[in-house]
Amino acid sequence: EQLFPLTTVMKQRFVENFSGDTLDGRWDVYNSGTVPQGMADSVDGGYYITTTNSWDQVRLTFDDKRQFSPVASKFIAMMKYTNSASASAGGAGLIYDKTTPELVGNNGVGWSLSANNHYFVTGDGTNRQVNTTGVTIDNAYHTYTGELNGTNAIGTIDGTTTFTNSTYIPLSSSKLQPSVWHKSGAETFNINYYEAYNT
């Protein structure tokens, strides 16, 4: 009713505000060891992950429960880095396989914050396309979106279309799941909003 007339049937939709004392149990959490992560006790802190070493990694997925169309879906994420360490990589998106959230040999679409830059990434299960924005990370929250329409993957930052990519987009036969990740380096990653829906 907030978005469409009452006569319009809403399609599959998921919203996470990352608020409260604990992470909602809908998420499946992988932690490579004892990486500090959880709900941040600060204003707009959301969910935080703090890594210190190159082997540190935390992944949030839906444990390969895939609800979203590879040809008609969109995700929205509000996230930031604290230090913009070049050795770190973190982001969010819609993916197929929970073990490879960075879209290395994976179907999906996502934004990755790494090497003090923003990358819009798509993958078809074998190859991936990495688009570099050239926009430096500034340690503030920004809103990132990725949309799939069967022909293109469209990425925006703060409402501005940054990339329209038709290379190595997800396979039409592979449904996708929400994903959030952060790995390696001395860095804190925060996300305070995630939404995904079928279009």
Side-chain angles (χ1 to χ4, degrees):
E1 186 175 351
Q2 293 175 328
L3 302 175
F4 303 103
L6 289 174
T7 54
T8 302
V9 177
M10 285 290 290
K11 297 180 181 179
Q12 187 75 17
R13 183 169 180 261
F14 167 71
V15 176
E16 176 63 73
N17 290 301
F18 295 102
S19 62
D21 295 332
T22 59
L23 182 67
D24 191 285
R26 297 174 290 187
W27 293 98
D28 178 68
V29 181
Y30 167 82
N31 190 322
S32 62
T34 57
V35 180
Q37 44 87 27
M39 304 308 294
D41 186 16
S42 60
V43 176
D44 295 328
Y47 184 84
Y48 78 93
I49 304 167
T50 301
T51 54
T52 56
N53 300 299
S54 60
W55 56 84
D56 286 346
Q57 184 175 167
V58 172
R59 302 189 301 261
L60 308 181
T61 65
F62 264 33
D63 199 21
D64 287 341
K65 297 175 180 71
R66 307 174 183 99
Q67 316 96 319
F68 299 101
S69 169
V71 296
S73 61
K74 184 174 182 177
F75 79 88
I76 304 167
M78 291 182 64
M79 50 192 176
K80 70 172 184 174
Y81 261 165
T82 299
N83 303 315
S84 302
S86 61
S88 299
L94 288 169
I95 63 168
Y96 177 76
D97 181 0
K98 69 177 183 177
T99 64
T100 54
E102 288 187 276
L103 296 170
V104 179
N106 196 358
N107 282 312
V109 59
W111 278 98
S112 182
L113 284 60
S114 179
N116 204 27
N117 209 317
H118 303 81
Y119 298 90
F120 184 62
V121 187
T122 59
D124 65 4
T126 303
N127 300 294
R128 68 174 179 166
Q129 176 71 33
V130 180
N131 298 288
T132 307
T133 65
V135 178
T136 302
I137 297 171
D138 62 8
N139 310 131
Y141 275 112
H142 293 281
T143 302
Y144 303 84
T145 74
E147 182 172 3
L148 298 166
N149 62 22
T151 303
N152 298 307
I154 303 164
T156 75
I157 301 177
D158 295 331
T160 300
T161 299
T162 308
F163 288 105
T164 300
N165 180 34
S166 60
T167 305
Y168 305 138
I169 60 175
L171 300 177
S172 60
S173 59
S174 303
K175 289 189 176 180
L176 307 173
Q177 64 184 307
S179 178
V180 176
W181 67 88
H182 172 53
K183 73 172 190 177
S184 65
E187 178 64 277
T188 296
F189 170 85
N190 293 74
I191 181 167
N192 68 4
Y193 184 82
Y194 181 97
E195 178 179 355
Y197 56 92
N198 286 323
T199 56

